[in-house]
């Protein structure tokens, strides 16, 4: 569910693993862009060394795009990867709950919202089958998946999530169901301090990117990362964690101002650099 950057690449890695995949979005344009993106990644050899060559060649045929959620009525696993907003995700989860067969698993790719909060929006019968599977961008290259059971998630669902992650070439780790989970809590403390350093004119954006790449061994500097994932998504995540944990996650004024001004990064939009 959701054919954006994350949803398209989750569909790709599942299809590369030999699974039949439905990719759903309400917007035909989003589906067209997702299919084009998937084809481009395959042409660049994104699967090389990770997946069977024959499976990679036949991958496009295993992905079917649709705008009709009724097509999910026979799916064994549904992965929700829509916008990081509680009400948007809750609406999708409720519709999936009504559509999927009994016992089908729902995995949510939320990066910050507690899974138990999302699971509370589906029927009691479905709650044991709801779990968090937080992939990292770009999904086609990043191997980590945080697996987050909700209060009512059955252990069999946890095992199924691990099996799904491993079958798609990922490394799952189990994380407690708290706002931001584990990786984002570490990451956003780092990003908040990076913005503070620029606010205080300790260092420039470009020099801090260079420092983190050459001094810490990061593949991207903090501002390059914010541009890749969008500053608006970073701000949303920090606001959720600020509400949960207080001052250590308070978004910096400079980040809030830049987002309000539309300097969020992402494809074709100006960001930090």
């Amino acid at each position: 569910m959701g054919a954006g950057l994350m949803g398209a690449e989750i569909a790709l890695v599942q299809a590369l693993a030999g699974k039949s995949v439905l990719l759903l979005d309400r917007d035909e344009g989003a589906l067209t862009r997702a299919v084009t993106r998937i084809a481009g990644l395959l042409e660049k050899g994104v699967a090389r060394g990770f997946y069977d060559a024959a499976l990679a060649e036949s991958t496009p045929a295993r992905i079917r795009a649709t705008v009709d959620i009724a097509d999910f009525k026979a799916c064994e696993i549904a992965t929700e990867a829509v916008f990081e907003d509680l009400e948007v995700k809750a609406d999708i989860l409720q519709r999936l709950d009504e559509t999927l067969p009994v016992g089908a698993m729902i995995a949510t790719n939320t990066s910050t919202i507690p899974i138990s909060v999302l699971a509370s929006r589906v029927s009691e019968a479905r709650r044991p089958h709801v779990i968090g599977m937080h992939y990292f961008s770009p999904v086609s290259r990043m191997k980590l998946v945080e697996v987050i059971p909700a209060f009512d998630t059955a252990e069999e669902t946890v095992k199924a999530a691990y099996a799904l992650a491993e079958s798609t070439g990922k490394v799952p780790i189990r994380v407690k169901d708290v706002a931001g989970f584990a990786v984002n809590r570490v990451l956003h403390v780092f990003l908040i301090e990076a913005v503070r350093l620029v606010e205080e004119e300790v260092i420039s954006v470009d020099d801090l990117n260079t420092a983190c790449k050459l001094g810490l061994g990061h593949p991207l500097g903090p501002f390059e990362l914010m541009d890749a994932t969008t500053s608006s998504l970073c701000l949303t995540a920090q606001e959720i964690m600020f509400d949960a944990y207080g001052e250590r996650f308070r978004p910096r004024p400079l980040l809030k101002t830049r987002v309000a001004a539309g300097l969020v990064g992402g494809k074709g939009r100006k960001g930090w650099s």
Side-chain angles (χ1 to χ4, degrees):
M1 296 286 295
L5 178 64
M6 296 296 291
E9 293 210 12
I10 292 170
L12 170 60
V13 298
Q14 291 178 352
L16 279 168
K19 304 178 191 306
S20 297
V21 181
L22 280 170
L23 179 59
L24 183 141
D25 203 286
R26 63 184 179 182
D27 181 351
E28 290 278 9
L31 289 171
T32 299
R33 290 188 294 274
V35 170
T36 300
R37 176 176 177 75
I38 288 168
L41 288 168
L42 288 168
E43 287 176 10
K44 291 177 182 176
V46 72
R48 194 174 296 121
F50 292 97
Y51 299 94
D52 179 86
L55 283 178
E57 186 174 341
S58 59
T59 286
R62 284 192 296 280
I63 301 175
R64 180 163 71 89
T66 180
V67 294
D68 188 357
I69 195 171
D71 290 343
F72 277 58
K73 62 186 177 182
C75 289
E76 297 174 356
I77 298 170
T79 300
E80 170 277 307
V82 300
F83 184 69
E84 190 73 359
D85 177 273
L86 173 59
E87 295 307 322
V88 173
K89 287 182 178 289
D91 175 65
I92 292 296
L93 294 177
Q94 288 165 358
R95 292 167 62 198
L96 282 172
D97 184 24
E98 294 166 359
T99 305
L100 293 168
V102 173
M105 183 175 90
I106 299 177
T108 172
N109 182 54
T110 179
S111 59
T112 50
I113 303 169
I115 310 306
S116 297
V117 174
L118 291 170
S120 72
R121 302 300 187 93
V122 303
S123 64
E124 288 190 21
R126 183 73 64 184
R127 290 174 195 172
H129 308 288
V130 176
I131 194 163
M133 291 186 70
H134 178 211
Y135 294 80
F136 290 79
S137 184
V139 179
S140 55
R141 299 209 316 263
M142 302 293 278
K143 294 184 71 67
L144 184 67
V145 177
E146 289 181 306
V147 175
I148 311 105
F151 292 144
D152 297 323
T153 302
E155 198 59 33
E156 285 304 309
T157 303
V158 178
K159 292 177 182 177
Y162 263 67
L164 175 62
E166 290 168 348
S167 73
T168 56
K170 306 303 178 188
V171 177
I173 59 171
R174 185 167 180 158
V175 181
K176 184 179 178 179
D177 185 24
V178 295
F181 316 127
V183 173
N184 265 342
R185 284 175 63 177
V186 173
L187 171 63
H188 283 281
V189 170
F190 170 72
L191 294 180
I192 288 166
E193 187 61 22
V195 176
R196 181 184 284 111
L197 285 168
V198 170
E199 281 180 331
E200 295 174 353
E201 299 182 346
V202 173
I203 191 170
S204 70
V205 165
D206 289 343
D207 282 350
L208 188 52
N209 280 334
T210 299
C212 291
K213 287 187 287 187
L214 301 185
L216 298 177
H218 294 183
L220 294 174
F223 299 98
E224 292 171 326
L225 179 60
M226 282 189 276
D227 280 350
T229 60
T230 75
S231 289
S232 52
L233 181 59
C234 289
L235 178 58
T236 297
Q238 288 171 20
E239 288 173 337
I240 290 170
M241 288 186 282
F242 173 64
D243 184 59
Y245 305 115
E247 283 300 316
R248 58 188 160 143
F249 288 105
R250 181 185 289 277
R252 297 303 307 164
L254 179 57
L255 177 64
K256 296 171 74 172
T257 300
R258 291 181 68 86
V259 170
L263 301 173
V264 297
K267 189 172 183 179
R269 294 179 294 186
K270 183 171 176 55
W272 292 94
S273 58

